[in-house]
């Protein structure tokens, strides 16, 4: 078993991205105070420790450079290291938040022995900027303990001797047991192995004995490797270069069938599909399309590619094609036919979106506000679901709302709409007026359009035909028109 | 001075709804020279006491100053919200016996409900409602039909005591609404009474009223949406309409106010 411990994983990852000279630390907010989450070697040399309050750390080291910790990025970094460690063994798993464990049974001779494997590992990690310690031992527990206390190799059959000098805390036991053991004077693993098992089990429960057995090999502890995430891609090479549109479409259909089968197996649908055409002269032509909803229907996706492939310049011919779905969404299988409406609208959004851009195909969504301008939302159609408007209650609203347009008329007596007015260079006469509906601005939100204060809305029927929605602003006397009824 | 009495006023003793103290309402009513002010909290008479002491203080100050300005009369009352009817009733007792009947009614309703609530039915109001002016406050007649049998039932038990309250909403449909209510008033035989549905003593309490709505509904001010007050017209007003104020052109004679004593 090979155990690798990254003592300063978080700060190493942060410093790889943005190098900092001098003392550096990542801070993490817990319980209302900032604490040091991880530090670099310079900071540790200055006496700073993990878990120290940031204020104390600043007192010790005023020019400490700090960044907030990103735990998710740290996990992603460890996952990347796990993938990299696949070069030493096919069975690699994450061990805690800052370690890896690999089963290297029968692998070491490929690297020229265990020593050579370790030195190769350390050279590569050091070049990449990681502080790492590693240990090789017969059991996972022993390798874990040794990696966190100096590292090294425990020879075959000398487990008890090899890790006997390590502190009991390295056995992965809980903190409470650790404290009690220390109080009893049992600080080394060798102290524990010398004691009778029965009394040890009675005093500390089965957990301690299990960890001890796992470290000494009396109890098996296999490594279960994590499955790699599926990669939604397919590739096709041709014995002879192709250049005809029909040939490319045939190849695309073959690739799409593979990709869609892969997507179906993982119950996912593609949101973006990227096709790379590798030409004979080593040029790569990428063609990328977006989909308005997650999809794994080969014929529909092929139809969207058709237009793009016609414009492709094949040059001396295309020797390979690669199809990938870089963005996917969950898509559970659902029954089609049987009354389910065909999703023609989503196809239309896909077609329009690929031509015009997906942000430009928009839809209106209802919003809750008494202010007419804010009673709807505009959202990109591909990334929103249609919503039924709420049931119409309250006063009637016009079918068309536009930004307020000035209306010229003679001064009106208060509480009465104008009898004669001009709007859009039309002379209009009021036939009937209903109102007023008084709407005041939302006091918590400063809307520049509503700086003129409250509005009295009137519904006006004119002799000339238009039925208009006019409002009067008593606080700065003027009439404006904001909508037209059907 | 045109005599106007505000008969439907909610103070902050209707929790998380009213946005003014009873003292503020009384003081404002005195400024506006209102004829009378009824404090009608939802299933409660708790605000009446504070309003009464405020009025006493105002009377004392006026007497000390030796002025002769009229002060509004305080009408104690409650807004009775029933479990089995959408119509709410403003119960305004006319004498001391009716006042004790009103408090009895509220006590019996509160005893049978968990704390903070009051469960009353039409039968309770019929049992205890003698000697009060009862003003029906139906739900918006343009959105839901007025339950006329409920009005008729009350009118049968208390002939001559029941009225139909008509409050403007200022949403552009007040003429239709008043027409509709006038029709209901005609068919049920309940005379119409103008009320203001007052929530606050001045329009600048509108932000507070909206915040109270947020607290009541458990939302933030950004999510309040259409539940906010669209305007500050639910304030205490005088009989004289200001020039800028909204005045629906009346199509029929304005509903007359009945003096009840």
């Amino acid at each position: 078993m090979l155990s690798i411990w990254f003592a300063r994983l978080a700060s190493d990852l942060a410093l790889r991205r943005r190098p900092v000279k001098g003392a550096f630390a990542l801070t993490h907010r817990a319980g209302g105070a900032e604490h040091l989450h991880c530090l670099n070697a310079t900071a540790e040399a200055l006496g700073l420790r993990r878990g120290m309050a940031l204020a104390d750390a600043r007192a010790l080291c005023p020019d400490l450079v700090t960044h907030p910790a990103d735990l998710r990025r740290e996990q992603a970094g460890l996952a990347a290291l796990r993938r990299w460690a696949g070069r030493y063994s096919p069975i690699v798993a994450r061990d805690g938040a800052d370690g890896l464990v690999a089963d290297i049974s029968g692998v070491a001779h490929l690297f020229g022995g265990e020593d050579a494997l370790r030195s190769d590992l350390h050279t590569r990690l050091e070049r990449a900027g990681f502080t790492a310690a590693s240990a090789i031992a017969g059991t996972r527990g022993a390798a874990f303990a040794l990696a966190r206390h100096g590292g090294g190799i425990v020879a075959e059959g000398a487990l008890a001797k090899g890790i006997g000098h390590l502190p009991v805390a390295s056995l992965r036991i809980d903190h409470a047991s650790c404290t009690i053991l220390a109080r009893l004077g049992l600080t080394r693993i060798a102290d524990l192995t010398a004691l009778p098992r029965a009394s040890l089990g009675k005093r500390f429960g089965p957990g301690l004995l299990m960890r001890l057995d796992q470290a000494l090999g009396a109890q098996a502890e296999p490594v279960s490797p994590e499955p790699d995430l599926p990669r939604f891609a397919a590739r096709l090479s041709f014995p002879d270069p192709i250049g005809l549109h029909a040939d490319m479409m045939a190849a695309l259909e073959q690739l799409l069938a593979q990709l869609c089968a892969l997507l179906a197996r993982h119950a996912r649908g593609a949101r973006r599909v990227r096709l790379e055409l590798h030409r004979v002269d080593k040029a790569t032509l990428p063609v990328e399309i977006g989909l308005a909803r997650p999809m794994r229907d080969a014929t529909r996706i092929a139809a969207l590619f058709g237009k793009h492939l016609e414009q492709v310049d094949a040059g001396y011919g295309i020797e390979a094609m690669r199809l990938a779905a870089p963005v996917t969404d969950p898509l559970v299988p659902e029954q089609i036919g049987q009354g389910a409406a065909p999703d023609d609208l989503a196809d239309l959004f896909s077609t329009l979106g690929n031509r015009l851009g997906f942000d430009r195909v928009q839809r209106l969504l209802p919003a809750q506000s008494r202010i007419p301008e804010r009673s709807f939302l505009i959202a990109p159609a591909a990334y929103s679901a249609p919503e039924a408007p709420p049931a119409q209650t309250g006063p009637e609203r016009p079918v068309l709302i536009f930004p307020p347009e000035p209306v010229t008329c003679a001064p009106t007596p208060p509480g009465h709409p104008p009898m004669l007015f001009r709007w859009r260079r039309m002379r209009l006469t009021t036939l009937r007026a209903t109102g007023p509906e008084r709407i005041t601005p939302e006091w918590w939100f400063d809307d520049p359009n509503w700086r003129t204060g409250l509005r009295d809305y009137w519904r006006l029927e004119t002799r000339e035909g238009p039925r208009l929605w006019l409002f009067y602003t008593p606080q700065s006397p003027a009439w404006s028109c904001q909508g037209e009824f059907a | 001075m045109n005599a106007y009495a505000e008969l439907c006023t909610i103070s902050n003793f209707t929790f998380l709804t009213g946005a003014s103290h009873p003292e503020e309402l009384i003081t404002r009513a005195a400024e506006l020279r209102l004829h009378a002010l009824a404090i009608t909290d939802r299933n409660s008479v708790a605000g009446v006491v504070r309003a009464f002491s405020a009025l006493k203080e105002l009377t004392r100050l006026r007497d000390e100053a030796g002025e002769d300005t009229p002060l509004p009369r305080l009408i104690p009352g409650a807004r009775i919200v029933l479990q089995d009817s959408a119509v709410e009733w403003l119960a305004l007792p006319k004498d001391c016996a009716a006042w004790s009947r009103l408090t009895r009614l509220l006590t019996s309703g509160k005893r049978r409900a968990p704390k903070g609530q009051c469960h009353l039915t039409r039968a309770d109001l019929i049992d205890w409602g003698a000697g009060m002016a009862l003003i029906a406050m139906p739900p918006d007649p343009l959105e839901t039909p007025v339950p006329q049998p409920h009005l008729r039932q009350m009118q049968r038990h208390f002939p001559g005591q029941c009225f139909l309250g008509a409050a403007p909403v200022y949403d552009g449909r007040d003429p239709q609404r008043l027409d509709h209510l006038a029709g209901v008033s005609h068919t049920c035989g309940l005379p119409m009474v103008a009320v203001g549905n007052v929530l606050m003593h001045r329009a600048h309490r509108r932000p507070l009223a909206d915040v109270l709505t947020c607290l009541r509904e458990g939302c933030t001010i950004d999510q309040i949406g259409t539940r906010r007050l669209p305007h500050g017209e639910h304030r205490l007003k005088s009989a004289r309409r200001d020039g800028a104020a909204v005045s629906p052109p009346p199509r029929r004679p304005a509903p007359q106010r009945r003096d009840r004593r």
Side-chain angles (χ1 to χ4, degrees), chain B residues 160-183:
Chain B
Q161 289 184 33
C162 296
F163 303 88
L164 181 64
V169 181
Y170 304 95
D171 68 344
R173 298 184 298 171
D174 280 335
Q176 290 111 291
R177 187 172 287 117
L178 293 180
D179 273 357
H180 204 288
L181 283 175

Side-chain angles (χ1 to χ4, degrees), chain A residues 327-415:
Chain A
V327 183
T328 60
D329 273 349
L331 176 64
V332 289
E334 60 183 29
Q335 186 168 2
I336 54 168
Q338 290 294 327
D343 221 343
D344 290 339
L345 197 60
D347 284 354
L348 177 67
F349 288 156
S350 298
T351 317
L352 290 176
N354 281 312
R355 293 248 178 105
L356 309 169
F358 276 92
D359 336 334
R360 298 208 178 108
V361 187
Q362 296 169 329
R363 77 163 102 227
L364 295 174
L365 293 177
Q368 293 285 312
S369 176
R370 290 197 185 260
I371 304 286
E373 295 96 317
R374 286 208 292 281
S375 59
F376 57 87
L377 283 177
I378 294 177
Y383 300 100
S384 59
E387 250 178 77
Q392 167 72 31
T393 55
E396 200 186 340
R397 288 284 181 253
V399 287
L400 203 66
I401 288 183
F402 37 79
E405 292 171 3
V407 162
T408 45
C409 62
T412 50

Side-chain angles (χ1 to χ4, degrees), chain B residues 33-89:
Chain B
R33 304 281 178 93
L34 288 189
H35 185 73
L37 178 74
I39 302 281
T40 54
D41 281 314
R42 219 178 120 91
N43 288 339
S44 166
V45 289
V48 173
V49 186
R50 302 276 289 271
F52 180 76
S53 354
L55 187 60
K56 214 159 78 175
E57 180 67 15
L58 282 181
T59 319
R60 189 183 64 80
L61 289 175
R62 184 190 65 172
D63 293 345
E64 275 180 9
E67 291 167 8
D68 197 22
T69 48
L71 283 178
R73 219 185 76 207
L74 175 68
I75 305 174
R79 186 179 183 128
I80 308 290
V81 180
L82 302 174
Q83 297 275 301
D84 58 348
S85 169
V87 183
E88 303 178 356
W89 294 85

Side-chain angles (χ1 to χ4, degrees), chain A residues 203-223:
Chain A
R203 179 70 197 262
F204 295 101
L208 177 66
L209 282 182
M210 187 189 78
R211 287 304 188 195
L212 195 59
D213 287 349
Q214 281 175 346
L216 297 176
Q219 195 172 339
E221 191 188 3
V223 178

Side-chain angles (χ1 to χ4, degrees), chain A residues 15-58:
Chain A
L15 289 172
R16 256 166 69 86
R17 213 171 321 112
R18 202 180 304 151
V20 171
K21 271 197 185 128
F24 171 80
L26 289 171
T27 59
H28 184 60
R29 176 169 282 278
E34 297 267 356
H35 293 279
L36 297 193
H37 177 64
C38 195
L39 356 121
N40 68 353
T42 325
E44 270 182 13
L46 285 168
L48 306 185
R49 291 286 168 264
R50 279 188 184 210
M52 194 183 249
L54 179 60
D56 299 347
R58 285 230 181 276

